[in-house]
Amino acid sequence: MNNNSLAVLILAAGKGTRMNSNVPKVLHSILNRPIINYVLDSVSSFDPEKIVIVLGYESNLIKEKIDGSDFDVAIQDKQLGTGHAVLSARGCLGNFEGSVLILSGDTPLINPKTLNSFFEYHASSCSKVSFITSDVENPFGYGRIIKDKDGQIIGIVEEKDANEDQKEIKEINSGIYIVDSLFLWESLKKLNNDNKQNEYYLPEIIEYAVNNDYKVSTYKIENYEESLGINTRAQLLELGSFMKNKINSTHIDKGVTIIDPATTYISPEVKIGMDTIINPNTYIYGKTNIGESCMIGPSVYIEDSDLGDKVEVKFSSYLTNCKIENGVTLGPFCHLRPEAHIAENAKIGNFVEIKKSKIGVGSKVPHLSYVGDATVGDNVNIGAGTITCNYDGVDKHQTIIEDNVFIGSDTMLVAPVRIGKEATTAAGSTITKDVGDGSLAIERSTQKEISGWSERRKKKKESK
Ligand code: UD1
Ligand code: CA
């Protein structure tokens, strides 16, 4: 939806004192992703004219961790309250006139579909301000919705300012509003900080609207979890486990076997094909795609990677940003670093590290090797203990191993170096020069043999 008269404002200037942390609250993660990025995802379908994020505490650090760059930052130097935070964004919004969708950077579960319906509801109600509410079992910490006896909204009262009766109210303010911009600036001018926290409260604009006969609407949602905010580490855990369970259930419904959902962590963007089995204690994060009929884990970590069909990733393997084609077997205990590309039916075994390298179709690196900055052809066998010596302390160099090569165990390949097709390197060789097609390269000193040595030593010991 292209929306020329919608601006989005995300409030994230606070430190998050209740987290007891030096890390700004919105950078705490759920499923390995800072919570502020979930909020940005939720508004991405709106295609607003502008997105402004209000930052203050550790603003540079937060800017770095936000996905994408399609937003402006407004700085709120002192965190004087949510109303003051919105005012800090006024300069960034310039002459913008229209609706402003305001969200908190600490409310990550809000669903884009909910926001869309909320927006339609707001538009059709011709209100100056609308906001999302929900009924929650434990409303502690939230602003409560105050209504008169006819059910008409009067205002919002914060936990700290609420009296005992008001604290009993279960309908809470989600902190998600759509406000007409002209009304917003007018009402914010009237805010004061005459409350328990001496803050300029954004929710006060509701009371201002009511008192001045501007139309206010509340939009109550059934899935109350979507409206929950994170103020404490306990709430971070609670929302994290809610999101994790929901994601796991979606995969299970689509035909993935998850042996132990309690210890399986899958982030929202991950796609997994049918009949794939995910074993316990497994982490699948970022933009990862896994094909059909794969066997993953137990105890595997995969991030930002593409796996084809029938891939097996065995115990304790760690993969980041790599591409794995159909039928590949990995691990146990392998480490695939960024830009490892393993072609069809190849095998990478235990204690093997691969970085920025292509391993060709059907090739094998079964044991204890380091392959970095290399191009390995098809049907190559790399013996145990082989190392591409890619780094001379200053620059990185390439190793090229062509098709059908046999690299003997414990070969040191000092890059840059090329091993021609069908060539063999003898075990224990340090290869510093290119090897021609079909040759055997052997680099070893001649073996000496001293006969009868053991017997002589034995006698020497006995004579002592
Ligand atoms: C706020 C609402 C409350 C609502 C709840 C929903 C106010 C006064 N209260 O309370 O009615 O039920 O959210 O989760 O708005 N922030 C700034 N600058 C500031 C203060 C806050 O940018 O000066 C940001 C925070 O970083 C945070 C968001 O605004 O992302 C909300 O602030 P927070 O302190 O978490 O408000 P709550 O106490 O949760
Ligand atoms: Ca909050």
Side-chain angles (χ1 to χ4, degrees):
M1 156 164 50
N2 185 311
N3 229 309
N4 290 322
S5 57
L6 180 76
V8 170
L9 206 57
I10 300 174
L11 308 184
K15 181 181 182 199
T17 313
R18 290 163 280 182
M19 297 294 282
N20 291 323
S21 173
N22 288 323
V23 178
K25 177 166 66 177
V26 295
L27 289 189
H28 282 264
S29 289
I30 288 181
L31 298 167
N32 206 37
R33 191 147 193 257
I35 56 178
I36 190 162
N37 284 321
Y38 289 99
V39 180
L40 273 159
D41 283 352
S42 73
V43 297
S44 57
S45 67
F46 278 109
D47 195 14
E49 188 178 318
K50 240 185 185 155
I51 297 180
V52 179
I53 306 178
V54 183
L55 298 178
Y57 178 73
E58 292 279 23
S59 57
N60 286 330
L61 185 65
I62 299 176
K63 255 190 268 178
E64 262 172 46
K65 305 271 178 176
I66 293 178
D67 285 347
S69 55
D70 203 8
F71 58 86
D72 291 331
V73 168
I75 298 292
Q76 184 197 23
D77 284 324
K78 278 197 181 141
Q79 283 77 62
L80 302 179
T82 45
H84 181 262
V86 175
L87 267 178
S88 318
R90 181 153 194 189
C92 278
L93 286 173
N95 295 326
F96 171 82
E97 273 186 33
S99 301
V100 186
L101 169 63
I102 304 172
L103 306 99
S104 289
D106 68 357
T107 306
L109 292 190
I110 186 72
N111 189 320
K113 284 189 195 133
T114 306
L115 286 180
N116 268 298
S117 325
F118 174 46
F119 186 76
E120 279 165 23
Y121 169 81
H122 169 78
S124 65
S125 74
C126 298
S127 299
K128 287 291 177 199
V129 49
S130 307
F131 64 105
I132 295 180
T133 75
S134 67
D135 288 331
V136 300
E137 208 35 60
N138 174 15
F140 178 81
Y142 292 94
R144 312 292 209 284
I145 309 304
I146 311 295
K147 290 178 171 164
D148 65 17
K149 53 181 182 323
D150 302 324
Q152 295 297 312
I153 176 111
I154 299 174
I156 299 171
V157 64
E158 293 304 306
E159 172 77 33
K160 290 196 172 133
D161 302 293
N163 62 34
E164 291 310 311
D165 286 343
Q166 290 167 332
K167 282 183 184 162
E168 294 297 310
I169 298 170
K170 300 236 186 266
E171 187 177 10
I172 58 131
N173 169 27
S174 67
I176 301 169
Y177 319 76
I178 299 175
V179 195
D180 170 77
S181 59
L182 295 177
F183 166 76
L184 182 63
W185 308 129
E186 177 191 324
S187 57
L188 286 176
K189 259 195 263 166
K190 308 285 175 177
L191 287 189
N192 62 51
N193 63 353
D194 187 11
N195 52 54
K196 284 271 164 54
Q197 305 190 81
N198 295 118
E199 286 186 358
Y200 296 90
Y201 290 163
L202 179 60
E204 292 277 304
I205 65 171
I206 302 302
E207 200 177 311
Y208 176 82
V210 171
N211 292 341
N212 292 279
D213 290 326
Y214 289 114
K215 186 163 183 202
V216 179
S217 305
T218 56
Y219 186 75
K220 197 184 217 179
I221 56 172
E222 290 302 320
N223 293 333
Y224 73 94
E225 300 89 0
E226 290 186 35
S227 70
L228 300 182
I230 294 170
N231 295 325
T232 63
R233 288 182 191 258
Q235 286 167 331
L236 179 71
L237 281 179
E238 191 189 329
L239 266 63
S241 96
F242 180 84
M243 192 181 296
K244 164 177 166 277
N245 293 342
K246 197 170 151 194
I247 292 169
N248 285 344
S249 302
T250 308
H251 288 294
I252 291 165
D253 288 346
K254 287 185 176 166
V256 177
T257 299
I258 297 182
I259 302 290
D260 182 20
T263 62
T264 301
Y265 299 81
I266 303 175
S267 62
E269 288 169 300
V270 172
K271 296 195 175 69
I272 306 176
M274 235 172 30
D275 294 323
T276 282
I277 299 173
I278 313 285
N279 284 296
N281 195 30
T282 288
Y283 306 79
I284 308 173
Y285 288 149
K287 291 185 169 57
T288 292
N289 292 317
I290 297 179
E292 295 187 358
S293 305
C294 294
M295 176 68 93
I296 311 292
S299 298
V300 155
Y301 183 99
I302 304 176
E303 189 177 342
D304 290 330
S305 296
D306 254 315
L307 280 66
D309 299 331
K310 298 191 172 138
V311 170
E312 204 177 334
V313 187
K314 295 182 189 169
F315 188 77
S316 268
S317 294
Y318 189 93
L319 285 62
T320 50
N321 196 6
C322 49
K323 182 171 170 56
I324 313 296
E325 295 187 27
N326 298 342
V328 165
T329 305
L330 303 175
F333 304 101
C334 74
H335 184 186
L336 266 53
R337 291 170 52 199
E339 294 179 60
H341 175 178
I342 317 297
E344 275 191 38
N345 301 323
K347 274 196 168 57
I348 309 297
N350 45 192
F351 309 110
V352 172
E353 174 180 341
I354 297 186
K355 183 214 81 170
K356 216 175 183 180
S357 295
K358 160 117 195 239
I359 308 294
V361 176
S363 290
K364 295 189 175 91
V365 193
H367 340 265
L368 300 152
S369 292
Y370 171 63
V371 180
D373 302 302
T375 307
V376 176
D378 299 344
N379 299 313
V380 168
N381 191 87
I382 296 193
T386 295
I387 290 172
T388 54
C389 312
N390 59 329
Y391 186 44
D392 58 15
V394 181
D395 294 310
K396 299 277 167 70
H397 301 282
Q398 296 290 317
T399 299
I400 294 171
I401 300 173
E402 294 183 356
D403 295 348
N404 303 313
V405 162
F406 183 92
I407 302 288
S409 294
D410 198 26
T411 297
M412 296 295 119
L413 295 155
V414 182
V417 71
R418 171 187 292 268
I419 314 295
K421 60 176 189 290
E422 321 253 337
T424 296
T425 65
S429 297
T430 298
I431 304 295
T432 52
K433 290 184 282 205
D434 288 358
V435 177
D437 293 355
S439 299
L440 166 71
I442 176 162
E443 187 280 335
R444 289 179 198 152
S445 47
T446 317
Q447 183 170 330
K448 277 187 204 154
E449 189 168 326
I450 301 165
S451 56
W453 186 87
S454 301
E455 196 52 35
R456 285 201 295 280
R457 187 178 65 166
K458 210 166 140 196
K459 285 201 176 122
K460 209 170 160 185
K461 265 192 181 166
E462 283 164 5
S463 72
K464 288 209 168 168

